[in-house]
Amino acid sequence: MDVSPMDVKQVMRDYFVDLGEAAKDPGRKVAWCTSVGPAEILRAMGFAVYFPENHGALLGATRVSTDTIPIANAHGYSPEICSYLTSDIGACLKGVTPLSKAYGLDSVPRPDVLVYCTNQCKDVMHWFSWYARRWNVPLLGIHPPNHLPEVLPEHVADVAAQYRRMIGRLEAITGTLLDLEALRLAVARSREATDLWEAVLNTARARPAPLSFFDGVIVMGPIVVLRGTQAATDYYRALLAELQGKVVARQAAVPGERLRIYWEGMPVWGRLRHLSDLFANNRATVVASTYCNSWIFSDFDAAQPLDSMARAYLKIFINRDDAYKEAYIERLAGEFGIDGVVYHAARTCPNNSNSYYNLPQRLAARGIPGIVVDGDLCDLRCFSDEQSTTLIEAFLETL
Amino acid sequence: MSTAADCDRPSTDATVRTEVFWGVDCGSAEIKVAALDREGRLLTTRRCRTLFPLVEHVHRSLAGQGDELSAIADGDRDRLPADGRQPGLRPGHKVFATGYGRHHIGFVQGQLTEIKAHYLGVQHQLRLQQDYTIIDIGGQDAKVIRATPSRVEQFAINRKCAAGTGAYIEELAHRLEVPMQELPRLAAAHDKDLTLNSYCTVFSGQEVIKLLMHGERVENLIHALYRSVVKRVLEMTAIDTDTLVFSGGVMSHHPILVPLFAERFDEVRTILAPNAQFCGALGAAIHGMNEESDDGLPNHQ
Ligand code: SF4
């Protein structure tokens, strides 16, 4: 990884140090939020916002999850459900967090409120409910319409109404009213950051691509956890300039790039290095992915903060129907000059595994070949180095 | 098979032309070796159990014994060099590897995945002119490869669980307390089509025991076991070619599977590949020939 890793580390460090301080400061409130939940509202209301899915990814990447998933399993959380959930709940039960070693936090920051949105899946509801029961913390959920062919005005109105109801309950927690100008500012910042993030990802349209999916999942931290802040915007502006320089200099993420691949599905957090090396050794660059693209929200509009948030968070890929997903990947395959798609069938996240309903066959019929690799985001019991190597190498051989 | 006498001529010339192409298929259950002359004729095949250290057993298979054909230079033939150096190959010999262990043999000239290797091994021997599907059932996995006369088009591998592989047959034979080699004969004496439903080897074992307790004939259970292997493999991917080619150790030991596959299609031509167990090793050797050929012609088949 040679894409500004130090800078992203610093940005993430500042974020977590601030979270740690907020958790200790009686004058500040901490909200937990799902990764594509209404973070802008929380930021505008002054909450320090923590994202348990980011913690799940950290548990996976550090492979601490290998120890913590079985603990959650033994407490009745099945090995078949979200392994972010099981990694995280297991970590809480065991009293460990990689945030201690990485950022000096004693524990994950205790929440004053838990906010989830089921635009991605319902596991987040079960997950946050556990903490609500454990710590007796208010639990607020947004339940939008799911798997939409089209996002219609009535869908937007529904979600915006749920936001308003939620804001009322949040105001009771903070004791202050939401400042509409603060919300507009947060939405404007999110929009700016997400536009920059999109531009960052689009630099990989160049041949050779200056960044790969495996760089992307590292540098995406700020767009996940710092939406609505100036820090995210500043970081991505700098990163974009750096990558544009690399495009001009024809600096490749994978030297000798021969094949260009689309990664569909979640990362295998505990095997990023293995997979990154595997593609690189075969001179293949993973130039685009559903996962990194999932934090592009081009609908944010400060003039209509709640409606535009509702639209943006309804429109996400995971919340769309089959036809939308097929057309989306086909479009990106064209734009990025994709030779083939690797579909990660993540055992514990069917929501992000789009190979289950014959999508690979439909796209293959349109000239976009693919291979399905079984694995998981955090549960390495479901992933085989050997199998993935053979499948991916054999697939690259056929291209 | 006879050794190619002129291969034994030592040479000090690095540009000596390759006379023997060796393919090693390092599978999870067995190491298979095949040697071809430069015309693509099969010189020898060998196999042994996959034991560790892998490289030692691969070395032994390639070295052969006594006057068997050897890929390994005389000085290193008896054992791997003690100083950690890679063993020398005999002049005019080259070795190419496939299979799960392919990345772990330091002294090979190249490697390829077993998908491509099986395809090359089958196509080299059969020279098919139409599209076809290879069904390869091994000890630990099953592969379905859709091929054309010139390339692999698509493939699927099952390695998630034992269902549809040799390990499944082995486990249930053990449950039934029937020696493996007896299975085909007993299955042929079935008088009822039974179905085992479960994916899982443990659950299937329980189903078998329940049926036995209800007095079911062992012959019918073994036949059901074979039918269940067929079902598991056909679930992997849709097959749309008129020709099926079978390869792999399980097919050569249990040829009864061939008609059981055939009966699942309206009209299909079935071929059990010659040297079914060695298609991967053969393909690796063919790959070596292709790597070396600079005649600009399409790949050697
Ligand atoms: S979308 Fe998948 S990975 Fe994300 S929280 Fe839901 S189940 Fe877990």
Side-chain angles (χ1 to χ4, degrees):
Chain A
M1 315 266 168
D2 61 350
V3 179
S4 304
M6 291 321 294
D7 298 349
V8 77
K9 274 190 189 155
Q10 190 54 49
V11 175
M12 297 303 280
R13 172 175 302 280
D14 293 347
Y15 161 72
F16 278 113
V17 167
D18 178 63
L19 256 181
E21 283 167 5
K24 286 192 184 133
D25 181 346
R28 293 179 69 188
K29 302 266 183 220
V30 173
W32 286 20
C33 184
T34 47
S35 66
V36 278
E40 291 74 14
I41 293 173
L42 300 170
R43 288 242 145 83
M45 297 184 80
F47 286 99
V49 190
Y50 168 79
F51 297 85
E53 285 150 87
N54 174 252
H55 192 236
L58 265 176
L59 287 160
T62 53
R63 294 192 272 275
V64 174
S65 53
T66 308
D67 296 330
T68 62
I69 291 172
I71 297 172
N73 296 159
H75 279 77
Y77 284 90
S78 161
E80 308 291 333
I81 62 166
C82 175
S83 63
Y84 276 171
L85 179 163
T86 49
S87 300
D88 180 71
I89 288 181
C92 182
L93 288 167
K94 195 175 179 208
V96 294
T97 169
L99 297 176
S100 303
K101 194 167 161 206
Y103 307 112
L105 271 63
D106 306 336
S107 66
V108 297
R110 276 284 193 115
D112 295 288
V113 62
L114 298 152
V115 174
Y116 67 84
C117 178
T118 56
N119 53 350
Q120 54 185 99
C121 68
K122 75 179 189 59
D123 287 49
V124 290
M125 173 184 74
H126 299 298
W127 185 358
F128 282 34
S129 307
W130 185 81
Y131 283 106
R133 287 192 298 273
R134 184 173 177 87
W135 288 331
N136 194 23
V137 174
L139 174 70
L140 309 182
I142 303 291
H143 296 256
N146 289 122
H147 313 130
L148 303 171
E150 228 184 308
V151 175
L152 298 171
E154 55 266 36
H155 301 138
V156 173
D158 171 353
V159 172
Q162 294 191 50
Y163 285 163
R164 285 192 194 93
R165 234 187 345 267
M166 187 185 77
I167 289 167
R169 297 189 59 190
L170 290 169
E171 286 171 341
I173 293 167
T174 59
T176 52
L177 296 181
L178 168 68
D179 172 357
L180 190 59
E181 283 317 306
L183 180 62
R184 286 188 204 283
L185 179 63
V187 169
R189 282 176 170 161
S190 273
R191 173 63 192 270
E192 205 181 343
T194 192
D195 285 354
L196 286 162
W197 173 238
E198 184 177 18
V200 160
L201 294 175
N202 281 344
T203 60
R205 292 184 187 193
R207 283 175 193 268
L211 97 161
S212 81
F213 170 65
F214 301 102
D215 304 317
V217 297
I218 303 299
V219 297
M220 74 189 292
I223 197 64
V224 179
V225 302
L226 285 164
R227 285 199 307 286
T229 71
Q230 189 61 38
T233 312
D234 293 346
Y235 173 66
Y236 288 116
R237 186 167 290 117
L239 179 62
L240 179 60
E242 181 186 331
L243 288 166
Q244 285 168 336
K246 289 190 174 194
V247 170
V248 173
R250 296 184 55 79
Q251 237 173 295
V254 171
E257 175 185 300
R258 190 175 59 92
L259 292 167
R260 297 165 64 84
I261 302 299
Y262 185 99
W263 181 276
E264 207 318 294
M266 299 289 287
V268 185
W269 287 111
R271 283 289 182 272
L272 289 179
R273 171 59 65 81
H274 160 76
L275 288 163
S276 169
D277 289 350
L278 176 60
F279 283 101
N281 291 340
N282 287 279
R283 289 170 42 213
T285 315
V286 180
V287 294
S289 67
T290 309
Y291 187 70
C292 287
N293 275 39
S294 294
W295 278 268
I296 297 173
F297 307 100
S298 307
D299 285 275
F300 286 142
D301 178 1
Q304 302 178 311
L306 288 184
D307 280 4
S308 73
M309 280 178 61
R311 200 173 300 110
Y313 289 127
L314 276 163
K315 267 189 165 178
I316 53 175
F317 181 94
I318 196 171
N319 197 36
R320 306 305 293 276
D321 73 344
D322 284 359
Y324 175 90
K325 290 179 177 176
E326 183 179 332
Y328 182 89
I329 296 176
E330 193 182 10
R331 175 169 65 79
L332 261 73
E335 290 172 358
F336 283 79
I338 298 294
D339 295 299
V341 181
V342 173
Y343 298 87
H344 172 203
R347 174 65 177 260
T348 72
C349 180
N351 315 291
N352 273 310
S353 300
N354 289 296
S355 56
Y356 293 159
Y357 299 95
N358 149 278
L359 181 65
Q361 285 77 1
R362 278 180 280 134
L363 284 169
R366 290 167 176 270
I368 305 168
I371 185 75
V372 181
V373 176
D374 289 307
D376 193 51
L377 38 146
C378 288
D379 194 342
L380 292 177
R381 295 175 299 190
C382 309
F383 182 76
S384 153
D385 281 351
E386 264 186 11
Q387 182 183 25
S388 60
T389 303
T390 299
L391 280 169
I392 291 169
E393 285 194 341
F395 177 57
L396 299 177
E397 272 174 357
T398 66
L399 296 178
Chain B
M1 296 237 179
S2 69
T3 57
D6 56 349
C7 303
D8 291 349
R9 267 200 312 266
S11 168
T12 49
D13 182 358
T15 63
V16 64
R17 79 175 193 164
T18 311
E19 298 295 346
V20 184
F21 292 90
W22 292 82
V24 189
D25 181 357
C26 308
S28 43
E30 283 189 327
I31 297 165
K32 280 115 357 190
V33 164
L36 300 178
D37 69 12
R38 51 180 301 117
E39 308 308 323
R41 284 181 301 241
L42 186 59
L43 300 174
T44 189
T45 57
R46 280 173 212 153
R47 66 193 170 93
C48 67
R49 274 185 61 202
T50 300
L51 296 168
F52 298 93
L54 183 67
V55 67
E56 240 174 74
H57 294 271
V58 170
H59 169 268
R60 203 169 297 162
S61 303
L62 289 167
Q65 289 175 350
D67 58 1
E68 283 181 332
L69 184 62
S70 167
I72 309 291
D74 290 347
D76 292 333
R77 192 176 174 196
D78 291 343
R79 65 186 67 81
L80 281 170
D83 56 5
R85 173 177 64 81
Q86 297 295 349
L89 295 183
R90 305 184 70 188
H93 290 237
K94 281 193 171 168
V95 183
F96 297 83
T98 187
Y100 295 113
R102 67 187 181 279
H103 292 298
H104 303 286
I105 318 296
F107 55 92
V108 299
Q109 276 73 41
Q111 51 91 15
L112 72 165
T113 66
E114 48 270 47
I115 297 295
K116 190 170 173 189
H118 275 82
Y119 165 72
L120 288 174
V122 165
Q123 182 61 11
H124 171 72
Q125 297 189 97
L126 297 173
R127 294 172 196 274
L128 294 168
Q129 296 304 314
Q130 71 278 24
D131 291 1
Y132 61 97
T133 302
I134 303 171
I135 294 180
D136 177 276
I137 306 184
Q140 310 277 335
D141 72 4
K143 309 178 190 74
V144 180
I145 304 171
R146 194 195 187 289
T148 74
S150 60
R151 62 185 284 259
V152 171
E153 240 183 30
Q154 264 178 37
F155 63 92
I157 306 180
N158 165 37
R159 290 205 72 230
K160 234 187 190 176
C161 63
T165 73
Y168 177 76
I169 299 178
E170 217 168 285
E171 167 66 21
L172 292 198
H174 175 71
R175 287 290 181 112
L176 292 166
E177 296 185 19
V178 175
M180 284 281 274
Q181 60 277 16
E182 289 292 302
L183 293 176
R185 190 182 58 77
L186 289 167
H190 77 283
D191 59 11
K192 203 200 279 178
D193 281 348
L194 288 179
T195 303
L196 296 178
N197 288 313
S198 180
Y199 269 134
C200 160
T201 311
V202 174
F203 283 8
S204 293
Q206 290 166 352
E207 269 184 278
V208 161
I209 286 168
K210 190 176 129 210
L211 288 164
L212 278 175
M213 288 195 300
H214 283 80
E216 194 48 78
R217 293 177 68 221
V218 169
E219 290 83 347
N220 291 340
L221 288 169
I222 294 169
H223 185 248
L225 152 69
Y226 280 129
R227 291 198 340 143
S228 137
V229 169
V230 171
K231 230 163 71 177
R232 297 287 91 87
V233 171
L234 294 182
E235 283 162 3
M236 288 166 58
T237 183
I239 291 174
D240 64 352
T241 60
D242 302 332
T243 304
L244 297 183
V245 178
F246 298 96
S247 66
V250 171
M251 296 307 295
S252 58
H253 289 125
H254 306 272
I256 185 175
L257 285 164
V258 176
L260 288 178
F261 272 105
E263 74 183 28
R264 299 293 300 269
F265 297 87
D266 281 344
E267 221 168 281
V268 79
R269 179 179 163 218
T270 56
I271 306 170
L272 182 56
N275 301 296
Q277 274 176 284
F278 295 96
C279 289
L282 267 157
I286 296 292
H287 172 73
M289 295 172 86
N290 291 338
E291 291 273 283
E292 194 164 281
S293 78
D294 54 0
D295 54 10
L297 294 172
N299 279 356
H300 194 292
Q301 295 180 341

